[in-house]
Amino acid sequence: MARRKKHRPWLDYLVYLAVRAVVTTARCLPIGVCYRLAELLAWIMYKVDVRHRVVGLENLRLAYGDDLDETRRDQIVRGVYRHFCMMIMEILHTYGRMHLTNWREHVRLVGHEPVLDRLITGGPLILLTGHYGNWEIAGYLFGLFGFPTSSVARTLDNPYLEAYLKSFRECTGQSLIPKSGGYDQILEVLQSGRTLSMLADQDAGQRGLFVEFFGRPASTHKAIALLAIEHRAPVVVGVARRVGPGFKYELRCADVIEPEEFQGTADDARLLTQRYTTALEGLIRQDPSQYLWLHRRWKHQPQPRKRAAAGAPA
């Protein structure tokens, strides 16, 4: 039996104090200085984090095959580390500093009209994105505009860091639902006609729904499609993609999937899941260095069907 990890509250608190000191320092620095620190941090992580670097290179090989040579795959993985270190610095400068009077200096909205129409008229809505671009900025902006979302997120093991991060995320009205054990809260959001936001590109294990992602079966959570169909909630696929230089993003709505488009068949969940997965893939292809290739998206693959036992009826 595996030994349970011993919990040390004092260590959690020391880590929290260290993170808070780093955050406070970074927020006091000009964004240009933070970018230079991000470049240094990304270079260190690329060198030290061998395990995730190898995962990223292998994922790119699976996704693009011979379309990318080894040098180009390595360039993209380096870009992934750089982008996410820069994104962290930008998040620290977003909360409390981006307002209704200055958000246009950093964000451009594209294809947002049908989403705003739905938010104004009301009714359940599901916003989907992936580990691409800056997924935190969208939740912040929706709250800033007066349309707070309920976002499903994993609860951190460190309770002090969890409370600190939650205070950032909820400063414009966004509320968080724990990924584990939050199903009743998810239902309450949709039943009351509010907006739910989720990351839709995580491996769902061997029992997930397998759909095509970059031409390869990817295990995907079927709950998103089932919730959309049951509650007649449109599914909006979008991302906040860096269009730089500097702190410049494009918040783009790529697809709006209406449950009424489906025919009430047993395959509806698969069709809806495939459609939003395909939309995410198209967005990622615009700049693959902004996607988190470091997580094992194809960790599980469909199992071959067992042959019928000898003598069994066909």
Side-chain angles (χ1 to χ4, degrees):
M1 181 185 296
R3 295 182 63 182
R4 193 173 181 178
K5 186 177 179 181
K6 189 175 180 180
H7 183 64
R8 296 184 176 90
W10 61 269
L11 183 58
D12 285 344
Y13 193 68
L14 284 178
V15 171
Y16 157 73
L17 290 177
V19 169
R20 185 150 189 171
V22 171
V23 169
T24 302
T25 302
R27 296 185 76 191
C28 292
L29 296 172
I31 189 66
V33 175
C34 289
Y35 281 150
R36 289 194 287 275
L37 291 175
E39 290 273 359
L40 175 60
L41 180 60
W43 181 84
I44 294 172
M45 291 180 65
Y46 172 84
K47 295 293 184 181
V48 174
D49 187 20
V50 177
R51 181 169 69 90
H52 287 106
R53 187 208 316 162
V54 170
V55 169
L57 292 169
E58 175 62 13
N59 279 341
L60 285 166
R61 187 190 66 80
L62 292 173
Y64 287 92
D66 295 335
D67 291 341
L68 298 178
D69 60 22
E70 186 175 344
T71 298
R72 180 58 182 144
R73 289 197 294 268
D74 183 70
Q75 289 174 345
I76 292 174
V77 170
R78 288 175 184 268
V80 170
Y81 282 103
R82 186 183 311 111
H83 165 73
F84 283 98
C85 287
M86 291 174 66
M87 186 188 90
I88 290 171
M89 296 299 180
E90 290 164 348
I91 289 172
L92 299 182
H93 281 260
T94 296
Y95 291 94
R97 296 193 179 186
M98 187 182 293
H99 308 288
L100 286 174
T101 57
N102 68 357
W103 66 269
R104 291 180 179 84
E105 298 173 11
H106 305 288
V107 179
R108 181 175 75 243
L109 303 180
V110 179
H112 59 286
E113 291 84 0
V115 183
L116 290 181
D117 287 344
R118 179 70 185 200
L119 289 169
I120 292 170
T121 58
L125 184 68
I126 298 177
L127 303 179
L128 294 185
T129 189
H131 290 85
Y132 179 74
N134 186 339
W135 57 88
E136 290 287 342
I137 202 171
Y140 180 86
L141 279 176
F142 275 109
L144 196 64
F145 297 155
F147 304 110
T149 63
S150 297
S151 302
V152 180
R154 178 185 175 274
T155 302
L156 298 180
D157 296 330
N158 186 322
Y160 305 106
L161 281 181
E162 172 65 22
Y164 187 47
L165 179 60
K166 190 175 182 180
S167 69
F168 274 97
R169 285 175 157 173
E170 295 186 343
C171 67
T172 59
Q174 178 182 198
S175 61
L176 296 181
I177 298 174
K179 184 178 178 181
S180 177
Y183 188 70
D184 288 343
Q185 292 173 255
I186 290 174
L187 290 180
E188 194 275 328
V189 168
L190 295 176
Q191 289 169 355
S192 61
R194 307 204 311 273
T195 302
L196 182 73
S197 65
M198 306 177 73
L199 293 169
D201 63 337
Q202 295 166 303
D203 181 270
Q206 200 59 61
R207 300 177 71 177
L209 187 64
F210 286 93
V211 295
E212 292 293 310
F213 182 59
F214 282 87
R216 184 176 178 83
S219 176
T220 308
H221 292 282
K222 66 182 75 173
I224 296 173
L226 294 176
L227 287 168
I229 293 169
E230 178 183 354
H231 296 278
R232 315 308 294 169
V235 175
V236 177
V237 186
V239 294
R241 181 172 68 93
R242 183 192 304 281
V243 292
F247 193 170
K248 302 286 186 181
Y249 280 88
E250 174 188 271
L251 187 57
R252 175 179 291 273
C253 171
D255 196 5
V256 179
I257 308 171
E258 298 284 353
E260 290 78 9
E261 298 177 29
F262 300 93
Q263 305 300 316
T265 69
D267 207 34
D268 283 357
R270 181 181 300 278
L271 292 171
L272 197 156
T273 304
Q274 181 64 73
R275 180 161 161 186
Y276 74 66
T277 301
T278 300
L280 280 175
E281 177 184 329
L283 292 165
I284 293 166
R285 286 183 179 275
Q286 293 178 8
D287 186 352
S289 67
Q290 294 190 41
Y291 185 61
L292 192 63
W293 296 103
L294 311 183
H295 76 295
R296 298 180 62 190
R297 185 63 185 93
W298 293 285
K299 181 177 181 180
H300 294 89
Q301 287 293 289
Q303 294 294 317
R305 294 183 179 180
K306 295 181 180 180
R307 293 183 179 180

